[in-house]
């Protein structure tokens, strides 16, 4: 049966602004928001929206949007705006200067700095900083770089440098220290620099506070009252929770759902171009000629830092349309443009949006598609000003208005107001079943605008609570979709903490969550904040279409409990499909195949939160099962690295942590178990090594009952 409705490394993209936030120090391109290339007029931060936005007065989708279509050949499967006003008024009244790491030592020309900075720039490992930012693996090295860079820019702002001077200084340092090529440095400085400088001029935060905000628990947990806030719940008692959710009925009607994420379509991909360029994105004519035949970009894509060619996107969509003819609806969780984030414009990103929407319409006519906004759709990347930033040249309306036009191909008119306000919406799919699409860029800690005021941007979470409470009153079940997973390190800690509380409060209403952004095939767990032994939700993180980088292209198919009297609306099972990129380039033709089915691969009786929690325990204790998970996590890529104990701890902890920057709270027990197993393995290896050494030295001298380890000690001691 069919049901119609209406209507995810991310931060991996590029990383030199924190590597520039380390010289200046200067950070990464994909991780920090881009800045416009022209100077902007002063914003009147006391000018609020002319019309106050009241959640309860907005239109709601109350008519089922998905029509049932029979599939006879289908086989069964076993804060509010007042807080903005208050903050902006306080901001306007501030006269104090920013707190600095140091005082102006000599006034200089901006290129001579205090000894601390000179030492920091010499000692910082900029390549490590770039790697950590690109892969969202922050350590003290990146934290130190961030503090030095933030303090440096604040120092220069306080000394009276113009925006043009600061941007040129960033460009020069980036180029002279070989952080990136000259054109990338110039593009990063122009795009990022303007916006970053603009925001830093208007906040009264120390480098410690800034970097704790951006990096999170990798940079200490600095308390900042300006960025501490709580959502408000209605005075409605939480329904009694069940000991465990029921297992969906076998052979019951279901929805077949396609999940596509992180396409990163590159219209400038060129087969045979240089795939080993020294820039964040390669495989373009502008990347130059390959130095060796092996450095040439493949026909269907490349494992190196290259995005998806048009022929690969077209082939995948044609394959899906032919192989999965009974798709009921599609989840499309964002990141459409490529990773050339130093070189993007609004016009080009809008063109990619329109082209990819048209592709989806043509390949899946009549199939409802539920989109979510990625962090790459904006230009500059990660730049999503809240609604109170409504001046024409910096407002985000250029994107949200076009999203409304394009998404309305699938979504009802009732979503227009929230899409144009904040790119989020709620749609009733079937009676008793609703999909809510969240704009996760308001939790993106690389969105510099949140430094001005992070309190529930666009009132999104308060609106989310209203939608969930209305759904609870109406006995509806809800699926939540978005781009950045709420437990990912790219999600702002205070936003993630509030979101986690919302999931816990409405655990009987929310039956699944779906995200992208990471490019990997994984999941995240949610628990009752007051009882970590009670898992209450699971977030499915779909694989990327883009091979960026070291990955095979992939997509997901979900089977969701459908329309019947006992429906749970839980995910019954899911499949991950991939294309082996190495073989496609070798033989000239791609073959898409099912990599695994979750329940069969992991021997799970169902996919309830409790079942996924049990799997996590198994992954911790069963190395063979973990290696299987690791293979699927990397989409069976031949370029995947080996995974040691630290890698294992990180991956399992990622699964445990639906709340960002709180790994100590969730992961201590898991890390202890893995450390114990690792210690045992090391001792066993050491023991075997000594035993073999003993036997080689003593020949047949050891008799029955002799302890080889004792012989080793004697031999070594002798």
């Amino acid at each position: 049966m069919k049901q119609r409705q209406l209507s995810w490394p991310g931060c991996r993209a590029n990383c030199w602004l924190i590597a520039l936030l380390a010289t200046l120090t200067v950070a990464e391109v994909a991780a920090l928001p881009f800045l416009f290339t022209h100077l902007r007029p002063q914003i009147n931060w006391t000018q609020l929206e002319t019309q106050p936005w009241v959640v309860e007065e907005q239109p709601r989708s109350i008519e089922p949007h998905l029509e049932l279509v029979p599939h006879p050949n289908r086989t069964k499967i076993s804060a509010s705006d007042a807080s903005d006003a208050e903050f902006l008024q306080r901001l306007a009244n501030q006269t104090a200067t920013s707190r600095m790491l140091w005082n102006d030592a000599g006034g200089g020309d901006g290129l001579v700095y205090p000894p601390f900075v000179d030492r920091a720039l010499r000692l910082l490992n900029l390549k490590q900083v770039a790697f950590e930012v690109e892969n969202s693996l922050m350590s003290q090295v990146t934290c130190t770089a961030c503090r030095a860079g933030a303090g440096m820019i604040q120092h220069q702002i306080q000394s009276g440098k113009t925006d043009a001077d600061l941007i040129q200084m960033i460009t020069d340092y980036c180029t002279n220290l070989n952080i990136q090529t000259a054109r990338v440095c110039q593009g990063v400085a122009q795009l990022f620099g303007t916006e970053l400088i603009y925001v830093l001029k208007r906040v009264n935060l120390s480098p410690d506070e800034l970097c704790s905000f951006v990096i999170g628990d990798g940079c200490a947990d600095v308390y900042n009252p300006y960025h501490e806030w709580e959502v408000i719940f209605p005075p409605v008692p939480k329904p009694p929770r069940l000991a465990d959710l029921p297992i969906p009925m076998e052979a019951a009607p279901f929805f077949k759902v396609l999940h596509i994420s992180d396409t990163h379509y590159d219209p400038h991909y060129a087969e045979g171009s240089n795939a080993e360029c020294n820039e964040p994105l390669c495989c373009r004519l502008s990347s130059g000629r390959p130095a060796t035949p092996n450095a040439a970009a493949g026909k269907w894509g490349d494992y190196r830092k290259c995005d998806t060619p048009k022929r690969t996107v077209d082939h995948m969509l044609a394959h899906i349309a032919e192989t999965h003819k009974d798709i009921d609806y599609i989840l499309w969780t964002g990141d459409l443009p490529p990773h050339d984030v130093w070189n993007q414009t609004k016009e080009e990103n809008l063109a990619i949006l329109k082209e990819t929407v048209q592709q989806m319409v043509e390949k899946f006519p009549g199939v409802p598609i539920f989109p979510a906004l990625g962090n790459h759709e904006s230009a500059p990347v990660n730049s999503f000003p809240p609604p109170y930033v409504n001046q024409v040249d910096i407002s985000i309306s250029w994107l949200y208005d076009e999203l409304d036009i394009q998404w309305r191909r699938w979504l009802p008119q009732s979503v227009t107001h929230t899409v144009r306000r904040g790119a989020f919406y709620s749609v009733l799919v079937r009676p008793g079943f609703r999909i809510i699409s969240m704009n996760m860029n308001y939790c993106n800690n690389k969105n510099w605008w949140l430094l001005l005021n992070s309190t529930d941007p666009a009132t999104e979470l308060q609106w989310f609570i209203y939608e969930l409470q209305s759904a609870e009153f109406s006995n509806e079940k809800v699926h939540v979709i978005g781009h950045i997973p709420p437990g990912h390190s790219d999600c702002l800690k205070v936003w993630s903490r509030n979101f986690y509380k919302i999931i816990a409060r409405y655990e009987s209403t929310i039956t699944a969550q779906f995200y992208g952004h990471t490019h990997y095939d994984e999941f995240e767990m949610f628990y009752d904040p007051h009882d970590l032994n009670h898992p209450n939700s699971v977030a499915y993180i779909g694989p990327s279409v883009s091979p960026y980088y070291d990955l095979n292209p992939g997509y997901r198919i979900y089977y969701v409990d459908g329309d019947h009297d006992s429906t749970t609306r839980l995910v019954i099972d899911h499949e991950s499909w991939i294309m082996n990129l190495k073989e496609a380039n070798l033989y000239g033709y791609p073959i898409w195949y099912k990599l695994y089915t979750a329940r069969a691969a992991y021997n799970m009786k169902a996919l309830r939160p409790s079942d996924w929690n049990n799997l996590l325990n198994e992954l911790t204790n069963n190395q063979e099962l973990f290696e299987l998970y690791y293979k699927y996590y990397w989409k069976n890529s031949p370029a995947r690295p080996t995974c040691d104990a630290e890698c294992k701890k990180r991956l399992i902890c990622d699964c445990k942590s639906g709340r960002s920057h709180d790994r100590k709270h969730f992961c201590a027990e898991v890390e202890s178990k893995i450390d114990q197993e690792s210690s045992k393995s090391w001792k066993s290896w050491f023991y075997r090594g000594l035993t073999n050494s003993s036997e080689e030295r003593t020949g047949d001298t050891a008799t029955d009952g002799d302890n080889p380890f004792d012989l080793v000690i004697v031999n070594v001691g002798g």
Side-chain angles (χ1 to χ4, degrees), residues 523-717:
F523 65 97
E524 272 183 4
M525 291 299 304
F526 292 72
Y527 300 87
D528 186 322
H530 305 293
D531 180 8
L532 295 184
N533 293 316
H534 174 64
N536 58 26
S537 187
V538 59
Y540 297 93
I541 303 175
S544 63
V545 175
S546 173
Y548 192 99
Y549 55 94
D550 287 343
L551 295 168
N552 284 318
Y555 66 89
R556 276 254 187 95
I557 295 289
Y558 298 97
Y559 298 95
V560 175
D561 206 0
D563 283 356
H564 57 92
D565 291 341
S566 302
T567 184
T568 63
R569 304 298 185 187
L570 291 168
V571 174
I572 303 170
D573 208 348
H574 76 66
E575 306 165 349
S576 286
W577 291 65
I578 67 165
M579 177 254 280
N580 188 309
L581 186 56
K582 180 179 179 180
E583 293 181 357
N585 287 332
L586 182 63
Y587 300 116
Y589 189 81
I591 297 177
W592 297 86
Y593 67 96
K594 181 166 60 178
L595 177 64
Y596 76 99
T597 301
R599 286 175 62 183
Y602 300 130
N603 193 27
M604 302 170 73
K605 62 181 180 180
L607 299 187
R608 302 165 299 176
S610 59
D611 300 305
W612 285 105
N613 186 59
N614 291 338
L615 175 63
L616 271 182
N617 294 331
E618 287 293 315
L619 291 176
T620 304
N621 301 321
N622 185 332
Q623 182 61 25
E624 184 177 355
L625 184 64
F626 174 79
E627 290 172 358
L628 182 68
Y629 172 78
Y630 186 68
K631 170 185 173 181
Y632 296 153
Y633 173 90
W634 277 89
K635 295 181 280 184
N636 199 24
S637 169
R640 67 182 183 271
T642 57
C643 189
D644 58 14
E646 290 302 314
C647 161
K648 182 177 180 179
K649 286 192 292 187
R650 178 176 60 83
L651 293 190
I652 294 180
C653 187
D654 286 345
C655 295
K656 291 275 288 186
S657 305
R659 190 169 68 200
S660 68
H661 304 290
D662 209 355
R663 301 175 79 88
K664 294 179 180 178
H665 190 70
F666 293 103
C667 302
E669 183 178 353
V670 167
E671 292 180 342
S672 177
K673 286 183 179 180
I674 295 175
D675 285 339
Q676 290 175 10
E677 290 300 318
S678 177
S679 176
K680 290 179 183 177
S681 299
W682 182 86
K683 290 177 181 176
S684 176
W685 168 83
F686 184 68
Y687 180 85
R688 287 195 303 270
L690 292 179
T691 301
N692 293 337
S693 174
S694 168
E695 292 174 350
E696 290 173 2
R697 294 190 182 194
T698 61
D700 296 326
T701 57
T703 61
D704 291 343
D706 289 336
N707 186 337
F709 191 62
D710 290 339
L711 291 176
V712 171
I713 294 176
V714 171
N715 290 335
V716 172

Side-chain angles (χ1 to χ4, degrees), residues 1-21:
M1 63 168 296
K2 180 155 189 157
Q3 327 200 45
R4 283 230 185 293
Q5 83 183 46
L6 59 59
S7 57
W8 335 220
C11 155
R12 332 168 35 140
N14 311 298
C15 41
W16 332 287
L17 261 191
I18 280 183
L20 265 193
L21 269 186

Side-chain angles (χ1 to χ4, degrees), residues 23-180:
T23 94
L24 253 179
T25 350
V26 149
E28 69 143 323
V29 174
L32 300 181
F34 275 53
L35 311 170
F36 297 95
T37 57
H38 57 282
L39 297 178
R40 305 185 183 112
Q42 291 272 330
I43 287 182
N44 179 5
W45 289 106
T46 62
Q47 177 181 335
L48 297 176
E49 302 169 81
T50 56
Q51 296 293 331
W53 198 71
V54 181
V55 170
E56 296 84 352
E57 295 178 358
Q58 306 314 311
R60 295 191 73 239
S61 170
I62 57 175
E63 294 295 329
H65 190 63
L66 186 64
E67 299 175 1
L68 298 182
V69 177
H71 297 289
N73 297 324
R74 171 180 277 177
T75 57
K76 302 297 183 184
I77 59 174
S78 50
S80 69
D81 286 341
S83 62
D84 287 345
E86 180 182 345
F87 178 84
L88 293 176
Q89 184 60 49
R90 184 173 71 246
L91 193 65
N93 294 336
Q94 284 179 349
T95 57
T97 57
S98 300
R99 287 166 280 175
M100 305 302 301
L101 279 174
W102 50 77
N103 295 320
D104 189 344
D109 60 0
L111 296 179
V112 178
Y113 305 109
F116 166 77
V117 180
D118 289 335
R119 288 196 299 272
L121 297 184
R122 287 196 300 269
L123 295 175
L124 284 173
N125 184 340
L126 299 183
K127 290 185 181 296
Q128 181 178 345
V129 172
F131 174 82
E132 290 181 358
V133 175
E134 186 171 350
N135 293 276
S136 297
L137 302 171
M138 307 302 188
S139 74
Q140 191 61 39
V141 174
T142 299
C143 181
T144 302
C146 177
R147 288 168 176 166
M152 179 69 63
I153 294 177
Q154 288 180 324
H155 174 75
Q156 296 305 318
I157 290 173
Q158 191 180 50
S159 68
K161 300 298 179 184
T162 67
D163 288 3
D165 291 338
L166 293 170
I167 290 172
Q168 186 59 51
M169 184 173 61
I170 293 173
T171 302
D172 292 343
Y173 267 86
C174 177
T175 303
N176 294 336
L177 293 176
N178 295 316
I179 295 174
Q180 273 297 333

